[in-house]
Amino acid sequence: SDRLFSAVFGMASALVQRKAVRVRIGVGGGKVQASTLIGSDLVRAMEASRYLCLLPMSSSGLVGGCVLLVLSLGWAGVIGIAAMVLATCLNFELARRIKATERLEMRAAA
């Protein structure tokens, strides 16, 4: 897996550098943005993609756990799962609203 990540990182950084060379000097900051993209964003994406191997195991564990919870507790398990899903949806909505508010505050400060 490290060879695959190294190959993808090498190809992506070469593409970013090639694009940075073609961009005109006054547009978008030039080399600074390209080096930032290669130096931090690609490395962070590569590190995050290492955990993709856990996706099948986590998904099957989640489904199996929910099935066992419903089979062992019945309607109480269904209500508990529904409450967790509702709480997660509310957290996502709250995060979306906070992000929009922060964006408006940043525009007002600029």
Side-chain angles (χ1 to χ4, degrees):
S1 68
D2 283 340
R3 288 183 183 178
L4 175 68
F5 292 132
S6 298
V8 170
F9 180 76
M11 288 187 291
S13 60
L15 287 173
V16 169
Q17 209 161 20
R18 192 176 305 159
K19 176 68 177 176
V21 170
R22 286 187 295 176
V23 172
R24 288 180 292 157
I25 300 294
V27 178
K31 284 186 177 179
V32 176
Q33 287 182 353
S35 65
T36 303
L37 182 63
I38 293 171
S40 64
D41 295 341
L42 285 178
V43 172
R44 197 173 313 134
M46 186 177 83
E47 291 295 323
S49 64
R50 288 187 178 194
Y51 295 106
L52 285 176
C53 63
L54 299 175
L55 185 64
M57 180 184 66
S58 300
S59 302
S60 61
L62 179 69
V63 170
C66 289
V67 168
L68 286 176
L69 186 65
V70 170
L71 289 177
S72 63
L73 296 179
W75 283 105
V78 172
I79 292 171
I81 291 172
M84 287 189 300
V85 169
L86 179 65
T88 302
C89 291
L90 289 175
N91 282 333
F92 278 126
E93 180 62 26
L94 183 63
R96 187 187 63 77
R97 288 183 183 192
I98 289 172
K99 184 177 180 181
T101 303
E102 288 178 349
R103 186 174 290 141
L104 288 174
E105 288 177 356
M106 292 299 286
R107 283 187 193 151

